[in-house]
Amino acid sequence: MVNSLFGISGIILLISALIIFTNILASVNERTKEIGILRTIGYKQNHIMRVILTEILVISFVSGLLGYLLGWGVSMIVSPILSGTTNVKVSFDWILFILSIFISLGIGIIAGIYPATKASKIDPIVALRAL
């Protein structure tokens, strides 16, 4: 049973990484003009990467926080229902909470490196030509 839970959680992490990847890539494609203007006024490639990676970190942090709290809340609701048949105790664990946030941030960074790199390499002249 534990192996199947690890498999399911691995699949969920892969799906969340793909969702973050596609959302950030779409965001970069939609904001090509904005990125071109930023590059024109003096932003360097590492500044653009920082902007995109900050966006990714915020999205990953909020999604990790909501995911953990939602899972904890559902288990708090389901626990009294199951307490008649099994001895189930649910508690909030800070170590697991922090671990889940760090895993969420790691997945976000891994999934967002390519879109951030792509955004930082946008040629400002080509981006401004699209205006």
Side-chain angles (χ1 to χ4, degrees):
M1 173 147 171
V2 173
N3 289 336
S4 63
L5 289 176
F6 282 128
I8 291 170
S9 62
I11 291 170
I12 290 171
L13 286 174
L14 179 65
I15 291 171
S16 65
L18 289 173
I19 289 171
I20 291 172
F21 175 78
T22 56
N23 283 338
I24 298 299
L25 196 58
S27 172
V28 165
N29 287 336
E30 289 175 3
R31 294 178 5 194
T32 301
K33 297 173 193 172
E34 175 188 336
I35 293 169
I37 291 170
L38 291 175
R39 291 291 307 269
T40 302
I41 62 172
Y43 274 53
K44 299 198 181 321
Q45 285 185 352
N46 61 349
H47 295 130
I48 300 293
M49 276 192 79
R50 279 191 217 150
V51 168
I52 301 298
L53 286 176
T54 303
E55 179 181 335
I56 292 166
L57 288 175
V58 168
I59 291 170
S60 298
F61 177 77
V62 170
S63 64
L65 179 70
L66 290 176
Y68 187 85
L69 293 177
L70 181 68
W72 181 69
V74 167
S75 63
M76 290 296 287
I77 292 170
V78 173
S79 176
I81 296 169
L82 296 177
S83 64
T85 57
T86 60
N87 191 9
V88 177
K89 183 181 178 194
V90 177
S91 64
F92 188 87
D93 189 3
W94 282 102
I95 293 173
L96 289 178
F97 174 72
I98 292 170
L99 182 64
S100 67
I101 295 296
F102 277 121
I103 289 173
S104 177
L105 292 173
I107 295 292
I109 289 172
I110 290 169
I113 286 177
Y114 174 74
T117 304
K118 181 180 177 190
S120 70
K121 292 182 180 180
I122 290 176
D123 184 19
I125 296 171
V126 173
L128 291 175
R129 222 180 264 159
L131 288 173

